[in-house]
């Protein structure tokens, strides 16, 4: 059964006091819980948050299902999101996403069997001048992607 | 045309990110000046400057501010840093390089509209911006630039950052307000406008990052000086984020009414290949062909007259190697993915458009599909709560109208007129055709 860590709990309790309405704390709380639950929000996470925050599960689920940055199924340790919107697509991002999927033997959005990687296509990351761009988990962007860069990155992350 | 840099003058200095470095370059001096003015004087100055919202809609900023009711209720200022429009990355640069410029502009604006609380709503993917802006806000609090009795002015103001979680529609002001309230970011019907009933149903002003930062320069130099830049109806400078087939993609500040061909030649180091088309205001703006692009100036009226729009200032440049059927498919995939689902014309229409263009790409197109695309798009325009439906419809209408030959060729031959080959991508999902019933 999922439970927030001591720090996680303190974070969520603090968020509940920061805004004019405690419901505003749902988005940051989901990010925290996702981080502590291996990168995704399971139904147990929602139950726990609902109890901790005293907010109905329906209101938490409403947020969870609407926003793309909350993962509703398990993802790999390294969730690689390749931006495939217009400028990145023009710079070959779709082909790079295909390349990564082939290299790791997964389909778009799938996790590798060893649980290390999930490859997804993301919508515009807002770094079109340095296309193609990707983001791994919620870290800073990796810009101006090339195939050797992708190879090197996979090697380092494995 | 003389080079005018207001917002970006100090972007090249790493020190500009920190409070000390910002102050060394005149930072927060304008705030001191603003505090010597009356709030209404600032609003009048912003009105007189002709500043229009830099997020996409281009609504006059001072006029928006003057819509606030005088009913004694708390007022909120919300900075729109969601920046989800494909092609747009100008605000990201400002937040990373000059966070205090935004904060100073926001405090001045908050003082003008007498708001004691503001939020900067930053898209969740912008993790670097989130941390840079949070750090800058802390620096401002520590220096007495935020909080109680700022600089002894008697004005109190608190500022916080809120992270989005991945939804384009949260860039629409009422969607953003819903998101900040901890709900789905679904837009609301207007009126009532946020200035009257916004965050928690209280009066709320929502302005873009660039707009709020520009306020600082209007107060610094005066409305008359600001209005001298650009044109009568498009005053000031504008940040353009340019991407695609140019030698130097990036963010450039130029006066409004700057010719697009000069922007490409001078700021962007010229074309990679031969100019074929430009989307001048983010992916929701109608596309311009090469001839139109070569003639147009980058301001609100000129682009409207050319059948497109300035939007967020995201300029996407395409050369002769780009297949327009493919490009439209990428755009439509996005708007279908991002439709919030409230309004039927958008929820159904975006998907329908994407499916038709996907089918064409997969070699299953029919001659009548071209007119069908246009008919569906025409029926989506202006019939929904927000502009997302239009954001899919307008590019569709313009692509089909201006590059009809490419759609016809693809349908006839099952391959791209440009590349000579079928466009193959794993994410193109074909579908059975759905006829339109009258």
């Amino acid at each position: 059964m999922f439970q927030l860590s001591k720090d996680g709990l303190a974070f969520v309790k603090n968020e509940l006091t920061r805004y004019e309405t405690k419901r505003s704390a749902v988005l940051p709380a989901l990010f925290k819980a996702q981080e502590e639950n291996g990168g995704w929000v399971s139904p147990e996470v929602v139950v726990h948050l609902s109890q901790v925050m005293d907010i109905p599960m329906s209101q938490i689920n409403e947020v969870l299902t609407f926003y793309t940055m909350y993962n509703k199924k398990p993802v790999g340790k390294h969730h690689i999101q390749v931006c495939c919107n217009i400028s990145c697509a023009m710079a070959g991002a779709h082909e790079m996403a295909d390349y990564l999927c082939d290299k790791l033997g997964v389909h778009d959005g799938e996790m590798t069997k060893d649980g290390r990687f999930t490859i997804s296509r993301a919508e515009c990351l807002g770094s079109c001048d340095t296309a193609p761009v990707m983001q791994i988990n919620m870290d800073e962007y990796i810009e101006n992607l090339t195939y050797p860069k992708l190879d090197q990155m996979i090697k380092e992350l494995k | 045309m003389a080079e005018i840099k207001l917002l970006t003058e100090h972007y090249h200095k790493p020190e500009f990110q920190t409070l000390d470095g910002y102050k060394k370059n005149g930072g927060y001096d304008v705030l001191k000046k603003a505090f010597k003015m009356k709030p209404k004087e600032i609003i009048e100055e912003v009105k007189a400057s002709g500043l229009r919202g830099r997020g996409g809609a281009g609504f006059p900023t001072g006029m928006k501010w003057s819509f606030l009711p005088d009913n004694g209720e708390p007022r909120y200022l919300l900075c729109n840093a969601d920046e989800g429009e494909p092609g747009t990355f100008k605000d990201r640069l400002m937040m990373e390089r000059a966070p205090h410029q935004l904060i100073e502009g926001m405090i001045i604006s908050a003082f003008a509209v007498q708001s004691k609380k503001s939020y900067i709503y930053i898209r969740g993917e912008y993790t670097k911006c989130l941390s840079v802006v949070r750090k800058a806000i802390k620096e401002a609090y520590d220096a007495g630039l935020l909080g109680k009795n700022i600089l002894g002015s008697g004005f109190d103001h608190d500022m916080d950052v809120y992270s989005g979680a991945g939804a384009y529609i949260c860039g629409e002001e009422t969607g953003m307000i819903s998101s900040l309230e901890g709900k789905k970011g679904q837009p609301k019907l207007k009126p009532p406008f946020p200035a009257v009933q916004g965050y928690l149903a209280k009066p709320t002003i929502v302005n873009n990052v660039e707009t709020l930062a520009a306020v600082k320069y209007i107060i610094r130099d005066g409305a008359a000086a600001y209005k001298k830049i650009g044109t009568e109806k498009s005053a000031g400078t504008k940040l353009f984020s340019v991407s695609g087939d140019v030698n130097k993609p990036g963010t450039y500040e130029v006066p409004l009414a700057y010719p697009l061909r000069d922007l490409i030649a001078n700021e962007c180091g010229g074309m990679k290949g031969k100019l074929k088309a430009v989307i001048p205001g983010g992916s929701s703006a109608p596309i311009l062909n090469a001839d139109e692009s070569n003639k147009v100036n980058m301001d609100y009226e000129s682009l409207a007259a050319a059948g497109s729009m300035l939007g967020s200032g995201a300029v996407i440049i395409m050369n002769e190697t780009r297949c327009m059927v493919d490009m439209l498919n990428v755009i439509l995939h996005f708007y279908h993915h991002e439709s919030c689902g409230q309004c039927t014309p958008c929820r159904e229409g975006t998907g329908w458009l994407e499916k038709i263009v996907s089918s064409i790409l997969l070699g299953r197109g029919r001659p009548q599909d071209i007119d069908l695309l246009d008919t569906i798009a025409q029926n989506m325009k202006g019939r929904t709560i927000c502009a997302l439906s239009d954001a899919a419809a307008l590019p569709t209408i313009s692509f089909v109208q201006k590059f009809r030959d490419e759609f016809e060729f693809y349908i006839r031959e099952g391959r791209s007129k440009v590349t000579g080959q079928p466009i193959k991508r794993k994410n193109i999902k074909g579908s059975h055709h759905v006829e339109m019933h009258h």
Side-chain angles (χ1 to χ4, degrees):
Chain A
M1 204 64 180
F2 172 81
Q3 290 224 308
L4 285 162
S5 69
K6 198 177 157 196
D7 285 351
L9 194 61
F11 172 84
V12 170
K13 297 256 179 198
N14 184 49
E15 288 297 300
L16 283 167
T17 65
R18 277 185 63 195
Y19 308 102
E20 284 81 347
T21 163
K22 68 177 189 176
R23 205 167 159 181
S24 293
V26 172
L27 273 82
L30 277 169
F31 274 125
K32 189 68 180 174
Q34 175 166 279
E35 182 191 321
E36 294 197 350
N37 191 49
W40 74 295
V41 181
S42 61
E44 291 77 20
V45 169
V46 176
V47 172
H48 180 64
L49 283 183
S50 173
Q51 288 164 352
V52 166
M53 301 175 79
D54 192 23
I55 286 177
M57 284 200 294
S58 58
Q59 292 182 1
I60 298 173
N61 275 317
E62 168 188 325
V63 172
L64 171 66
T65 52
F66 188 78
Y67 297 92
T68 56
M69 290 182 74
Y70 303 123
N71 299 309
K72 290 87 182 170
K73 59 179 187 180
V75 292
K77 185 181 171 195
H78 309 294
H79 184 195
I80 299 177
Q81 300 197 69
V82 184
C83 177
C84 284
N85 211 294
I86 187 89
S87 305
C88 285
M90 286 165 70
H94 277 293
E95 291 73 17
M96 287 187 178
D98 289 347
Y99 176 78
L100 284 174
C101 286
D102 290 345
K103 194 175 169 83
L104 295 166
V106 288
H107 290 110
D108 203 8
E110 272 182 8
M111 182 167 63
T112 54
K113 281 183 186 147
D114 62 4
R116 296 193 74 79
F117 294 97
T118 295
I119 311 292
S120 311
R121 284 167 218 256
E123 294 305 339
C124 191
L125 289 178
S127 190
C128 320
D129 54 340
T130 56
V133 175
M134 65 163 61
Q135 188 170 34
I136 304 178
N137 300 331
M138 286 182 64
D139 294 335
E140 286 185 23
Y141 293 173
I142 304 173
E143 301 168 301
N144 297 307
L145 293 172
T146 59
Y147 287 95
K149 223 171 179 172
L150 296 181
D151 289 338
Q152 183 64 26
M153 184 190 72
I154 296 295
K155 204 172 147 189
E156 282 170 12
L157 292 176
K158 261 191 172 171
Chain B
M1 199 172 291
E3 189 181 71
I4 302 169
K5 300 271 183 262
L6 297 176
L7 303 167
T8 57
E9 186 186 352
H10 303 290
Y11 272 23
H12 60 286
K13 301 174 184 168
E15 64 182 35
F16 210 59
Q17 260 194 34
T18 65
L19 181 60
D20 284 346
Y22 183 68
K23 279 185 166 174
K24 270 182 205 158
N25 290 282
Y28 291 104
D29 286 351
V30 186
L31 180 62
K32 289 173 197 159
K33 182 181 175 182
F35 281 149
K36 288 178 188 151
M37 299 167 72
K38 291 196 175 88
K40 278 193 177 159
E41 286 173 353
I42 299 176
I43 296 178
E44 289 309 314
E45 203 69 13
V46 172
K47 264 190 194 171
S49 75
L51 177 67
R52 296 170 65 169
R54 302 293 197 235
F59 192 81
T61 305
M63 194 188 289
K64 189 188 252 190
W65 291 3
S66 63
F67 289 159
L68 284 165
D70 209 1
N71 56 8
E73 285 194 309
R75 295 164 166 189
Y76 293 97
L77 176 67
L78 185 47
C79 171
N80 186 341
D82 195 59
E83 194 160 60
E85 176 78 9
T88 318
F89 48 89
K90 67 191 175 71
D91 295 337
R92 173 181 172 227
L93 190 72
M94 186 188 300
M95 286 188 277
E96 288 180 2
R97 301 265 178 94
H100 283 286
Q101 180 174 271
L102 170 62
I103 294 168
E104 185 176 8
M106 281 183 70
I107 303 170
I108 297 167
S109 304
F111 176 63
V113 301
Q114 289 291 288
S115 160
K116 290 186 175 179
K117 176 85 202 200
S118 62
Y119 287 100
I120 306 176
Y121 186 104
I122 303 178
R123 62 179 299 186
E125 295 90 342
Y126 277 3
T127 49
K128 187 173 176 186
C129 290
L130 283 158
S131 71
V132 172
V133 174
R134 279 188 174 124
K135 192 176 161 207
I137 286 177
K138 186 178 181 309
E139 283 183 319
Y141 266 109
D142 292 346
L145 293 159
L146 283 171
K148 297 276 180 206
N149 190 22
I150 298 169
L151 300 175
S153 64
F155 178 63
D156 304 337
H157 188 74
D158 285 308
M159 190 179 290
D160 207 342
V161 168
Y162 197 78
S163 167
Y168 167 79
I169 198 57
C170 292
E172 195 277 342
E173 58 182 1
T174 57
M176 176 169 291
I177 288 166
S178 297
S179 182
L180 180 60
E181 291 169 347
K183 303 170 188 166
K184 288 191 274 193
Q186 289 186 319
K188 296 179 190 123
L189 271 174
K190 293 188 276 192
F193 288 93
V196 178
Q197 267 186 46
Y199 178 52
L200 303 174
K202 303 292 182 206
T204 304
I205 292 294
V206 186
N207 285 138
N208 176 256
V209 170
E210 187 185 344
T211 314
L212 290 164
V215 167
K216 169 186 161 168
Y217 296 93
I218 291 164
I219 300 306
R220 187 188 74 176
D221 303 338
Y226 191 80
K227 204 166 171 49
K228 274 187 193 157
I229 309 167
T231 69
E232 175 63 24
K233 288 184 182 168
S234 295
T237 63
K238 175 84 190 84
L239 301 183
F240 289 105
S241 49
V242 189
S243 61
D245 297 317
V246 288
N247 289 315
K248 287 193 321 186
T251 299
Y252 302 102
E253 183 179 19
V254 292
L256 280 165
Y258 196 69
L260 176 53
R261 62 181 303 164
D262 290 351
L263 182 67
I264 295 171
N266 303 337
E267 275 70 24
C268 304
M271 282 296 301
K272 268 186 192 166
K274 188 178 166 218
L275 177 66
K276 176 174 181 177
V278 176
I279 303 176
S283 69
S284 60
I287 196 164
L288 301 175
N289 62 29
D291 190 39
E292 292 165 326
S293 306
N294 279 324
K295 288 179 194 159
V296 81
N297 291 343
M298 297 300 282
D299 59 75
Y300 297 98
E301 312 93 86
S302 301
L303 282 160
S308 188
M309 56 194 193
L310 185 81
S312 59
V315 187
I316 304 160
I317 315 255
M318 298 175 190
N319 70 15
E320 78 283 6
T321 68
R322 304 299 171 188
C323 171
M324 290 296 143
V325 188
D326 187 23
M327 294 292 100
L328 181 60
N329 187 246
V330 172
I331 290 170
L332 291 174
H333 175 79
F334 174 76
Y335 290 107
H336 180 204
H337 183 267
E338 298 297 334
S339 173
C340 85
Q342 278 190 107
C343 312
T344 310
C346 179
R347 183 183 63 244
E348 299 298 323
T350 52
W352 197 357
L353 293 175
E354 189 201 351
K355 281 176 190 169
I356 293 171
V357 179
S358 293
S359 294
I360 296 173
L361 284 177
L362 291 168
R364 300 179 204 153
R366 307 163 309 166
Q368 63 266 41
D369 283 343
I370 301 174
D371 289 337
L372 185 56
L373 282 171
D374 187 66
T375 308
I376 296 167
Q378 297 288 358
N379 279 293
M380 289 167 67
K381 271 199 307 178
R383 299 205 172 152
T384 49
I385 291 173
C386 81
L388 196 147
S389 191
D390 290 31
L394 296 176
T396 303
I397 294 165
S398 63
F399 270 74
V400 168
Q401 184 189 27
K402 291 173 188 174
F403 300 98
R404 191 178 179 99
D405 58 322
E406 290 192 31
F407 287 82
E408 285 172 346
F409 185 94
Y410 211 122
I411 289 168
R412 197 170 58 242
E413 306 276 336
R415 61 193 169 95
S416 168
K417 186 179 180 185
V418 178
T419 67
Q421 302 294 321
I423 303 290
K424 286 185 179 165
R425 287 203 318 267
K426 285 186 181 167
N427 74 323
I428 300 171
K429 305 274 191 296
S431 70
H432 295 292
H433 285 291
V434 184
E435 292 293 345
M436 180 184 271
H437 299 285
H438 293 280

